[in-house]
Every structure is written in C-alpha cells, then in structure tokens.
Amino acid sequence: VLTKPDSCWPEIFSERATIPELFLRYFLVLMAIPVVCGFVGALVFGIPIPPFGTARVSFFNGLIHYLVQYGLMALSLLVGAYIIEFLAPKFEGSISRVNAFRYFGFSLSAAYIAGVFSLIPVLSFVGVLVSLYGLYVYYQGIPAATSVPTTRRVGFFFASVLGIVISLAIISIIIGYFSPDLIDPRTSGLEGFEDAMKQLENFMPKQ
C-alpha cells in the first residue's frame, strides 16, 4: 500500500475477509502503534506546550486518554467506510461495505505507522506530515475501490474526505467532552499554565 498505492488494490480486494476479521487481523494492530507510542512518549517525555514548557502526564489520565483514542480510531474507521459506501453511487460508482472498510483502513496505513513518531512528542509533527501521504494513497485507490469515473474522481475525493473530517470532528468533540483531559493543569508542573487555563475558561459559555 505504501510503496505501490496505484497497483496494490486489486490484490487487497481479492482477499476474502469480513469486517471483524479485518479488524482483528490488521487494523486493531496498526491502530495500536500510535496509541502505545503516544502513551509511552507522554509518560516518559511529557507533552510540550509552548511557551510554558513540557507538561507532566499522570498514568491514569494518560491511560484513559489513549484508550479513548483507540476506541475513537476504531469508530472513525467504521464511520469513514459508511461515508464512502454512501457517496460512491452519488458519483456513478459503487462499493460494498466490506470493501469500503478495507479501502479506507488500508489508506490510513501511513497514518497508523507514522504514529511511531509519537514516542518522542516533539517529533509528532513529523508523523502528521507522513500521515498526509495517506491522502495520496486514498486518491490512487478510488478507481479500483469505487469504480468512480475519471471525470468525477476529484469530486468524490474532496466530498468523501470532507464528509469524513466533519463527521469525525463532531464525534471527537462529543467524546472529548466526557473523557478526562490528558493534561491536568494542577499537576502539569508548568508555571502559569493553570492560570492560563482558568482565564480561557472565562471566555467559554457557561452551562
């Protein structure tokens, strides 16, 4: 997928597997890379927060945060697959649910593997840059995955990416509201950080 994104898809789609089998065989393992590396990196090195410095992360908050992130990644894969399945016919294409799941999941391989950079939090931005390669992989797989005509390929690409991003942003906000913060201002060890958070809360709408 990473080295031959334009020619790997026929082989990938030829494999017979259900969504649960794909989850267990491939994607839960790949998703664990950014989760485990992020958790270890946060505990060992802390989280850099310019201009305050590096914040300490408690084991409990870190564990809960990254477990929630793991579940969110799994949910995002399902949501993305449903959006792809829904939009393909709108652009004169078609794709089964399991193939949409397979297509979206393997398109994210670069992002999952790039999660190794989270071991050193200051290098996380490198992982973000590497993850962008997944957009190219996704674009290259459109013809084989969805049979969308060439003339509508760009439209499908932007529509599906936008739909996925908006849906996941909404889900992330909802889940983040009920999950503990990764960094507790009271125990972060950063001078001025707790005061800055309190000042920010003054601008937030009261419930």
Side-chain angles (χ1 to χ4, degrees), residues 93-189:
S94 64
I95 187 171
S96 66
R97 181 163 302 172
V98 65
N99 277 346
F101 181 83
R102 193 194 317 262
Y103 167 48
F104 187 48
F106 280 109
S107 296
L108 294 173
S109 295
Y112 295 146
I113 295 173
V116 72
F117 289 102
S118 299
L119 271 174
I120 305 177
V122 294
L123 296 181
S124 295
F125 74 96
V126 179
V128 174
L129 295 177
V130 174
S131 299
L132 294 177
Y133 181 70
L135 292 174
Y136 173 74
V137 175
Y138 179 77
Y139 182 79
Q140 290 296 110
I142 291 176
T146 66
S147 300
V148 169
T150 303
T151 55
R152 310 208 65 184
R153 184 176 174 184
V154 174
F156 173 80
F157 172 78
F158 283 107
S160 58
V161 169
L162 183 61
I164 291 169
V165 169
I166 293 176
S167 300
L168 298 186
I170 294 173
I171 294 173
S172 298
I173 292 172
I174 295 174
I175 293 179
Y177 184 82
F178 296 100
S179 62
D181 295 329
L182 176 60
I183 300 171
D184 187 341
R186 298 167 297 179
T187 60
S188 65

Side-chain angles (χ1 to χ4, degrees), residues 15-64:
E15 180 184 4
R16 293 186 177 181
T18 63
I19 289 179
E21 288 172 342
L22 290 169
F23 249 132
L24 294 174
R25 192 181 306 172
Y26 299 112
F27 301 129
L28 288 180
V29 176
L30 287 171
M31 290 175 190
I33 296 175
V35 171
V36 173
C37 291
F39 179 53
V40 173
L43 289 182
V44 175
F45 298 103
I47 303 296
I49 306 179
F52 300 101
T54 301
R56 294 192 299 267
V57 176
S58 70
F59 180 87
F60 176 76
N61 279 17
L63 180 63
I64 298 300

